[in-house]
Amino acid sequence: MNKMIEVEHFTKRYGDFTAVDDISFTVDEGSIFAFLGPNGAGKTTMIKMMADVLLPDSGQILYDGRDIHIIGDEYRAKVGYLPQEISFYSNFTGKDYLAYSAALKGMEKSYAKQRIDELAHHVGLQNDLKRQCRAYSGGMQRRLGIAQALLDNPEILILDEPTAGLDPLERVKFRNIISAYSNDRLVLLSTHIVSEIEHIASKIMMMEYGVIRYVNTSEEYIKMAKNCVWLVKMSAEKLVEYQNNAVISNVIAKDGAMEVRVIDEEKPFANAVQTAPTLEDVYLYIFHYLPQKARR
Ligand SMILES: Nc1ncnc2c1ncn2[C@@H]1O[C@H](COP(=O)(O)OP(=O)(O)O)[C@@H](O)[C@H]1O
Ligand SMILES: [Mg+2]
C-alpha cells in the first residue's frame, strides 16, 4: 500500500483567534498537494503543523497509519521543510549553510558534499556558494532554502511559499524539479499565486479564514467556472467605469480597444464571447461569487 498522510480535525488557535478550524484531508504518495488562499488564510499555520514544528490544539496527523507525535524524531527525519521565512547566520556562505543543515540532519560528510554539489546545480547556485548568503537576493535565498529542504532526499517535502521572489525562468525550473521529485514521494506546498500550481499540483486545497473551501484537482476546479468566463471588447473609458462593479481577471490592449476578461455567471454584454477558464479565473469566481463568511 502507498504511504499517505492523513490529517484529522486539525485546529489551531492563537489566543482566542482560530487560525485553522477543524481541517481534515489526505495526501497520497506520488502526489503534490497545494494549499492555496489569500494572505492570512492559515496556510503557514497548516504547513508548520504538517512539518511538526507547531502543535495543533486538537486533531492529529498520521503518516503511514502512525501518529507523528508517537513516531516523533522518526517523522521529522523524513521531512524536508522550507519555512516561509529563513534567517541566516551573519557570516555563513551558501556552502556553510548547506553543510550546517546537512550536519543537523545527521548526513554523512562525503554524501553531504555530493548532494550539496548536485543541488547547487539544480537550483542554479553553483557559482554563488562561496558568497555570504545574507547578501543573496530574495530569489537566491529562496533557492538556497529549496536546496536545503531537498538535501537528504526526504520522503516528505514541505515548502511554504517556495516561489516567492523567483523570476519567471526560476519558477519554471522550480516546477520541473518538484514534478520530477514528486514521483514516489509526498510534496506539500503553499502559495497565493494560482498559476504556480495549476499544472503541477495533483490536489489543491483552497482555504480562507482557516477553513477549507474546496479540495479538488485543477480539472475539477475548471469545471466549476465553465460558463462564467467572457471576453468583452470595450473602450478604455468604459473600462474605467465598468471595473468598479465587475470581476475582471485580465485586460489586453488590442486594435485600439481593450479586450477584457470578465468573470460573470451571466453574459455581461451582448458582444461578450465565452471562453475557457484558467485556474486563476476559477479562483476569482470562487472568492467573489461563492464567498465564505469569516467564522473566527
Ligand atoms: N503567532 C501568531 N500569533 C497570532 N496570530 C497569528 C500568529 N501566526 C499567524 N497568526 C494569524 O493567523 C492567521 C493565519 O496566518 P498564516 O497561517 O500565517 O496565514 P497564511 O500563511 O495563509 O498567510 C492570520 O490572520 C495571522 O495573522
Ligand atoms: Mg504564509
mmCIF file of all heavy atoms in Angstrom, residues 100-134:
data_model
loop_
_atom_site.group_PDB
_atom_site.id
_atom_site.type_symbol
_atom_site.label_atom_id
_atom_site.label_comp_id
_atom_site.label_asym_id
_atom_site.label_seq_id
_atom_site.Cartn_x
_atom_site.Cartn_y
_atom_site.Cartn_z
ATOM 1 N N TYR A 100 25.994 23.007 7.183
ATOM 2 C CA TYR A 100 25.451 23.051 8.544
ATOM 3 C C TYR A 100 24.104 22.326 8.599
ATOM 4 O O TYR A 100 23.850 21.510 9.492
ATOM 5 C CB TYR A 100 25.308 24.519 8.951
ATOM 6 C CG TYR A 100 24.711 24.757 10.308
ATOM 7 C CD1 TYR A 100 25.410 24.436 11.473
ATOM 8 C CD2 TYR A 100 23.446 25.332 10.428
ATOM 9 C CE1 TYR A 100 24.854 24.673 12.717
ATOM 10 C CE2 TYR A 100 22.885 25.573 11.674
ATOM 11 C CZ TYR A 100 23.595 25.241 12.812
ATOM 12 O OH TYR A 100 23.046 25.469 14.032
ATOM 13 N N SER A 101 23.244 22.588 7.602
ATOM 14 C CA SER A 101 21.944 21.908 7.544
ATOM 15 C C SER A 101 22.128 20.397 7.407
ATOM 16 O O SER A 101 21.420 19.616 8.046
ATOM 17 C CB SER A 101 21.111 22.404 6.354
ATOM 18 O OG SER A 101 20.986 23.806 6.403
ATOM 19 N N ALA A 102 23.109 19.991 6.583
ATOM 20 C CA ALA A 102 23.371 18.555 6.381
ATOM 21 C C ALA A 102 23.820 17.916 7.689
ATOM 22 O O ALA A 102 23.394 16.809 8.032
ATOM 23 C CB ALA A 102 24.429 18.354 5.301
ATOM 24 N N ALA A 103 24.650 18.636 8.459
ATOM 25 C CA ALA A 103 25.123 18.114 9.744
ATOM 26 C C ALA A 103 23.948 17.957 10.710
ATOM 27 O O ALA A 103 23.822 16.939 11.390
ATOM 28 C CB ALA A 103 26.192 19.034 10.326
ATOM 29 N N LEU A 104 23.046 18.954 10.729
ATOM 30 C CA LEU A 104 21.869 18.853 11.604
ATOM 31 C C LEU A 104 21.003 17.650 11.244
ATOM 32 O O LEU A 104 20.369 17.049 12.098
ATOM 33 C CB LEU A 104 21.013 20.121 11.499
ATOM 34 C CG LEU A 104 21.540 21.385 12.153
ATOM 35 C CD1 LEU A 104 20.515 22.503 11.990
ATOM 36 C CD2 LEU A 104 21.850 21.164 13.627
ATOM 37 N N LYS A 105 20.971 17.332 9.953
ATOM 38 C CA LYS A 105 20.176 16.184 9.514
ATOM 39 C C LYS A 105 20.928 14.876 9.734
ATOM 40 O O LYS A 105 20.418 13.807 9.385
ATOM 41 C CB LYS A 105 19.823 16.332 8.023
ATOM 42 C CG LYS A 105 18.838 17.466 7.707
ATOM 43 C CD LYS A 105 18.718 17.695 6.185
ATOM 44 C CE LYS A 105 18.208 19.074 5.836
ATOM 45 N NZ LYS A 105 16.754 19.163 5.673
ATOM 46 N N GLY A 106 22.147 14.964 10.244
ATOM 47 C CA GLY A 106 22.930 13.747 10.520
ATOM 48 C C GLY A 106 23.454 13.073 9.260
ATOM 49 O O GLY A 106 23.680 11.864 9.233
ATOM 50 N N MET A 107 23.663 13.851 8.191
ATOM 51 C CA MET A 107 24.136 13.247 6.938
ATOM 52 C C MET A 107 25.640 12.986 7.009
ATOM 53 O O MET A 107 26.400 13.783 7.545
ATOM 54 C CB MET A 107 23.840 14.175 5.752
ATOM 55 C CG MET A 107 22.367 14.254 5.418
ATOM 56 S SD MET A 107 21.988 15.561 4.208
ATOM 57 C CE MET A 107 22.729 14.908 2.718
ATOM 58 N N GLU A 108 26.042 11.885 6.430
ATOM 59 C CA GLU A 108 27.449 11.511 6.379
ATOM 60 C C GLU A 108 28.175 12.518 5.469
ATOM 61 O O GLU A 108 27.625 12.982 4.462
ATOM 62 C CB GLU A 108 27.509 10.069 5.863
ATOM 63 C CG GLU A 108 28.836 9.391 5.924
ATOM 64 C CD GLU A 108 29.589 9.554 4.624
ATOM 65 O OE1 GLU A 108 28.968 9.406 3.552
ATOM 66 O OE2 GLU A 108 30.799 9.850 4.710
ATOM 67 N N LYS A 109 29.439 12.879 5.826
ATOM 68 C CA LYS A 109 30.096 14.037 5.202
ATOM 69 C C LYS A 109 30.275 13.950 3.687
ATOM 70 O O LYS A 109 30.008 14.908 2.968
ATOM 71 C CB LYS A 109 31.466 14.281 5.860
ATOM 72 C CG LYS A 109 31.390 15.352 6.923
ATOM 73 C CD LYS A 109 32.762 15.920 7.213
ATOM 74 C CE LYS A 109 32.613 17.154 8.091
ATOM 75 N NZ LYS A 109 33.727 17.318 9.010
ATOM 76 N N SER A 110 30.738 12.796 3.194
ATOM 77 C CA SER A 110 31.028 12.745 1.753
ATOM 78 C C SER A 110 29.710 12.744 0.958
ATOM 79 O O SER A 110 29.620 13.330 -0.121
ATOM 80 C CB SER A 110 31.887 11.533 1.405
ATOM 81 O OG SER A 110 31.190 10.361 1.730
ATOM 82 N N TYR A 111 28.675 12.094 1.527
ATOM 83 C CA TYR A 111 27.367 12.116 0.881
ATOM 84 C C TYR A 111 26.824 13.548 0.874
ATOM 85 O O TYR A 111 26.290 14.021 -0.129
ATOM 86 C CB TYR A 111 26.414 11.171 1.623
ATOM 87 C CG TYR A 111 24.986 11.177 1.101
ATOM 88 C CD1 TYR A 111 24.719 10.902 -0.236
ATOM 89 C CD2 TYR A 111 23.907 11.449 1.949
ATOM 90 C CE1 TYR A 111 23.412 10.909 -0.720
ATOM 91 C CE2 TYR A 111 22.606 11.449 1.479
ATOM 92 C CZ TYR A 111 22.359 11.181 0.143
ATOM 93 O OH TYR A 111 21.075 11.196 -0.322
ATOM 94 N N ALA A 112 27.007 14.252 2.007
ATOM 95 C CA ALA A 112 26.540 15.631 2.100
ATOM 96 C C ALA A 112 27.216 16.482 1.031
ATOM 97 O O ALA A 112 26.568 17.262 0.323
ATOM 98 C CB ALA A 112 26.822 16.197 3.486
ATOM 99 N N LYS A 113 28.510 16.297 0.852
ATOM 100 C CA LYS A 113 29.259 17.096 -0.128
ATOM 101 C C LYS A 113 28.725 16.847 -1.538
ATOM 102 O O LYS A 113 28.495 17.780 -2.318
ATOM 103 C CB LYS A 113 30.740 16.726 -0.041
ATOM 104 C CG LYS A 113 31.619 17.637 -0.845
ATOM 105 C CD LYS A 113 33.100 17.331 -0.674
ATOM 106 C CE LYS A 113 33.937 18.204 -1.609
ATOM 107 N NZ LYS A 113 33.486 18.205 -2.992
ATOM 108 N N GLN A 114 28.482 15.569 -1.821
ATOM 109 C CA GLN A 114 27.961 15.207 -3.145
ATOM 110 C C GLN A 114 26.585 15.838 -3.376
ATOM 111 O O GLN A 114 26.320 16.418 -4.437
ATOM 112 C CB GLN A 114 27.888 13.674 -3.217
ATOM 113 C CG GLN A 114 27.290 13.121 -4.488
ATOM 114 C CD GLN A 114 26.658 11.745 -4.245
ATOM 115 O OE1 GLN A 114 27.128 10.956 -3.403
ATOM 116 N NE2 GLN A 114 25.572 11.466 -4.954
ATOM 117 N N ARG A 115 25.713 15.754 -2.378
ATOM 118 C CA ARG A 115 24.354 16.322 -2.519
ATOM 119 C C ARG A 115 24.404 17.846 -2.644
ATOM 120 O O ARG A 115 23.631 18.442 -3.399
ATOM 121 C CB ARG A 115 23.490 15.943 -1.307
ATOM 122 C CG ARG A 115 23.019 14.521 -1.306
ATOM 123 C CD ARG A 115 22.056 14.219 -2.421
ATOM 124 N NE ARG A 115 20.733 14.833 -2.228
ATOM 125 C CZ ARG A 115 19.834 14.991 -3.197
ATOM 126 N NH1 ARG A 115 20.110 14.616 -4.429
ATOM 127 N NH2 ARG A 115 18.669 15.549 -2.942
ATOM 128 N N ILE A 116 25.305 18.485 -1.896
ATOM 129 C CA ILE A 116 25.399 19.950 -1.960
ATOM 130 C C ILE A 116 25.795 20.369 -3.374
ATOM 131 O O ILE A 116 25.196 21.282 -3.959
ATOM 132 C CB ILE A 116 26.391 20.483 -0.896
ATOM 133 C CG1 ILE A 116 25.784 20.299 0.503
ATOM 134 C CG2 ILE A 116 26.735 21.956 -1.160
ATOM 135 C CD1 ILE A 116 26.745 20.579 1.651
ATOM 136 N N ASP A 117 26.769 19.665 -3.963
ATOM 137 C CA ASP A 117 27.182 20.000 -5.337
ATOM 138 C C ASP A 117 26.032 19.797 -6.316
ATOM 139 O O ASP A 117 25.738 20.659 -7.143
ATOM 140 C CB ASP A 117 28.374 19.120 -5.767
ATOM 141 C CG ASP A 117 29.654 19.550 -5.059
ATOM 142 O OD1 ASP A 117 29.663 20.668 -4.490
ATOM 143 O OD2 ASP A 117 30.626 18.767 -5.065
ATOM 144 N N GLU A 118 25.373 18.638 -6.182
ATOM 145 C CA GLU A 118 24.249 18.312 -7.074
ATOM 146 C C GLU A 118 23.149 19.361 -6.998
ATOM 147 O O GLU A 118 22.687 19.893 -8.013
ATOM 148 C CB GLU A 118 23.629 16.996 -6.585
ATOM 149 C CG GLU A 118 23.797 15.796 -7.464
ATOM 150 C CD GLU A 118 23.296 14.559 -6.708
ATOM 151 O OE1 GLU A 118 22.108 14.536 -6.254
ATOM 152 O OE2 GLU A 118 24.110 13.641 -6.551
ATOM 153 N N LEU A 119 22.740 19.659 -5.765
ATOM 154 C CA LEU A 119 21.588 20.551 -5.578
ATOM 155 C C LEU A 119 21.924 21.991 -5.928
ATOM 156 O O LEU A 119 21.077 22.713 -6.455
ATOM 157 C CB LEU A 119 21.064 20.444 -4.144
ATOM 158 C CG LEU A 119 20.273 19.154 -3.912
ATOM 159 C CD1 LEU A 119 20.117 18.873 -2.435
ATOM 160 C CD2 LEU A 119 18.911 19.233 -4.583
ATOM 161 N N ALA A 120 23.168 22.394 -5.660
ATOM 162 C CA ALA A 120 23.571 23.756 -6.037
ATOM 163 C C ALA A 120 23.391 23.921 -7.550
ATOM 164 O O ALA A 120 22.922 24.955 -8.028
ATOM 165 C CB ALA A 120 25.006 24.023 -5.621
ATOM 166 N N HIS A 121 23.717 22.869 -8.303
ATOM 167 C CA HIS A 121 23.493 22.912 -9.749
ATOM 168 C C HIS A 121 22.008 22.973 -10.077
ATOM 169 O O HIS A 121 21.589 23.769 -10.908
ATOM 170 C CB HIS A 121 24.123 21.682 -10.420
ATOM 171 C CG HIS A 121 25.502 21.952 -10.918
ATOM 172 N ND1 HIS A 121 26.623 21.693 -10.158
ATOM 173 C CD2 HIS A 121 25.932 22.499 -12.083
ATOM 174 C CE1 HIS A 121 27.691 22.058 -10.841
ATOM 175 N NE2 HIS A 121 27.300 22.555 -12.011
ATOM 176 N N HIS A 122 21.241 22.109 -9.440
ATOM 177 C CA HIS A 122 19.800 22.070 -9.734
ATOM 178 C C HIS A 122 19.137 23.428 -9.529
ATOM 179 O O HIS A 122 18.270 23.818 -10.286
ATOM 180 C CB HIS A 122 19.089 21.029 -8.852
ATOM 181 C CG HIS A 122 19.308 19.633 -9.304
ATOM 182 N ND1 HIS A 122 18.819 18.532 -8.629
ATOM 183 C CD2 HIS A 122 19.976 19.143 -10.368
ATOM 184 C CE1 HIS A 122 19.178 17.439 -9.261
ATOM 185 N NE2 HIS A 122 19.888 17.781 -10.319
ATOM 186 N N VAL A 123 19.536 24.116 -8.470
ATOM 187 C CA VAL A 123 18.873 25.396 -8.188
ATOM 188 C C VAL A 123 19.672 26.584 -8.744
ATOM 189 O O VAL A 123 19.323 27.738 -8.507
ATOM 190 C CB VAL A 123 18.586 25.606 -6.683
ATOM 191 C CG1 VAL A 123 17.709 24.495 -6.134
ATOM 192 C CG2 VAL A 123 19.874 25.715 -5.872
ATOM 193 N N GLY A 124 20.745 26.300 -9.497
ATOM 194 C CA GLY A 124 21.487 27.357 -10.181
ATOM 195 C C GLY A 124 22.315 28.252 -9.261
ATOM 196 O O GLY A 124 22.492 29.432 -9.533
ATOM 197 N N LEU A 125 22.832 27.677 -8.167
ATOM 198 C CA LEU A 125 23.659 28.484 -7.259
ATOM 199 C C LEU A 125 25.120 28.018 -7.245
ATOM 200 O O LEU A 125 25.891 28.417 -6.374
ATOM 201 C CB LEU A 125 23.107 28.414 -5.827
ATOM 202 C CG LEU A 125 21.814 29.177 -5.524
ATOM 203 C CD1 LEU A 125 21.341 28.877 -4.103
ATOM 204 C CD2 LEU A 125 21.990 30.677 -5.715
ATOM 205 N N GLN A 126 25.501 27.205 -8.238
ATOM 206 C CA GLN A 126 26.844 26.610 -8.191
ATOM 207 C C GLN A 126 27.956 27.652 -8.153
ATOM 208 O O GLN A 126 29.011 27.422 -7.584
ATOM 209 C CB GLN A 126 27.039 25.584 -9.333
ATOM 210 C CG GLN A 126 27.056 26.157 -10.732
ATOM 211 C CD GLN A 126 25.657 26.333 -11.316
ATOM 212 O OE1 GLN A 126 24.658 26.371 -10.602
ATOM 213 N NE2 GLN A 126 25.582 26.461 -12.633
ATOM 214 N N ASN A 127 27.710 28.836 -8.737
ATOM 215 C CA ASN A 127 28.762 29.864 -8.733
ATOM 216 C C ASN A 127 28.666 30.831 -7.559
ATOM 217 O O ASN A 127 29.433 31.789 -7.481
ATOM 218 C CB ASN A 127 28.733 30.648 -10.044
ATOM 219 C CG ASN A 127 28.965 29.740 -11.232
ATOM 220 O OD1 ASN A 127 29.769 28.804 -11.148
ATOM 221 N ND2 ASN A 127 28.245 29.972 -12.318
ATOM 222 N N ASP A 128 27.712 30.618 -6.693
ATOM 223 C CA ASP A 128 27.488 31.583 -5.605
ATOM 224 C C ASP A 128 27.710 30.994 -4.217
ATOM 225 O O ASP A 128 27.514 31.684 -3.222
ATOM 226 C CB ASP A 128 26.048 32.114 -5.682
ATOM 227 C CG ASP A 128 25.782 32.781 -7.017
ATOM 228 O OD1 ASP A 128 26.343 33.862 -7.236
ATOM 229 O OD2 ASP A 128 25.065 32.197 -7.843
ATOM 230 N N LEU A 129 28.088 29.720 -4.159
ATOM 231 C CA LEU A 129 28.139 29.044 -2.857
ATOM 232 C C LEU A 129 29.167 29.655 -1.911
ATOM 233 O O LEU A 129 29.051 29.514 -0.703
ATOM 234 C CB LEU A 129 28.439 27.548 -3.036
ATOM 235 C CG LEU A 129 27.261 26.677 -3.447
ATOM 236 C CD1 LEU A 129 27.660 25.213 -3.380
ATOM 237 C CD2 LEU A 129 26.029 26.937 -2.598
ATOM 238 N N LYS A 130 30.172 30.336 -2.461
ATOM 239 C CA LYS A 130 31.205 30.896 -1.584
ATOM 240 C C LYS A 130 30.867 32.300 -1.102
ATOM 241 O O LYS A 130 31.613 32.894 -0.333
ATOM 242 C CB LYS A 130 32.563 30.897 -2.308
ATOM 243 C CG LYS A 130 33.075 29.485 -2.517
ATOM 244 C CD LYS A 130 34.533 29.458 -2.934
ATOM 245 C CE LYS A 130 35.007 28.015 -3.015
ATOM 246 N NZ LYS A 130 35.839 27.787 -4.196
ATOM 247 N N ARG A 131 29.754 32.823 -1.591
ATOM 248 C CA ARG A 131 29.343 34.168 -1.151
ATOM 249 C C ARG A 131 28.503 34.073 0.123
ATOM 250 O O ARG A 131 27.833 33.072 0.374
ATOM 251 C CB ARG A 131 28.521 34.847 -2.236
ATOM 252 C CG ARG A 131 29.343 35.177 -3.471
ATOM 253 C CD ARG A 131 28.460 35.727 -4.569
ATOM 254 N NE ARG A 131 27.639 36.837 -4.091
ATOM 255 C CZ ARG A 131 26.530 37.253 -4.703
ATOM 256 N NH1 ARG A 131 26.116 36.669 -5.801
ATOM 257 N NH2 ARG A 131 25.841 38.262 -4.210
ATOM 258 N N GLN A 132 28.509 35.145 0.901
ATOM 259 C CA GLN A 132 27.687 35.174 2.123
ATOM 260 C C GLN A 132 26.205 35.173 1.747
ATOM 261 O O GLN A 132 25.773 35.969 0.921
ATOM 262 C CB GLN A 132 27.986 36.446 2.914
ATOM 263 C CG GLN A 132 29.342 36.386 3.571
ATOM 264 C CD GLN A 132 29.472 37.375 4.698
ATOM 265 O OE1 GLN A 132 28.556 38.141 4.977
ATOM 266 N NE2 GLN A 132 30.614 37.344 5.359
ATOM 267 N N CYS A 133 25.436 34.295 2.379
ATOM 268 C CA CYS A 133 24.063 34.185 1.908
ATOM 269 C C CYS A 133 23.188 35.346 2.363
ATOM 270 O O CYS A 133 22.142 35.591 1.781
ATOM 271 C CB CYS A 133 23.441 32.834 2.210
ATOM 272 S SG CYS A 133 23.810 32.115 3.765
ATOM 273 N N ARG A 134 23.616 36.083 3.360
ATOM 274 C CA ARG A 134 22.835 37.280 3.721
ATOM 275 C C ARG A 134 22.841 38.320 2.613
ATOM 276 O O ARG A 134 21.959 39.178 2.550
ATOM 277 C CB ARG A 134 23.380 37.888 5.016
ATOM 278 C CG ARG A 134 22.998 37.037 6.211
ATOM 279 C CD ARG A 134 22.252 37.823 7.245
ATOM 280 N NE ARG A 134 23.107 38.835 7.807
ATOM 281 C CZ ARG A 134 23.071 39.227 9.070
ATOM 282 N NH1 ARG A 134 22.212 38.669 9.905
ATOM 283 N NH2 ARG A 134 23.863 40.162 9.501
#
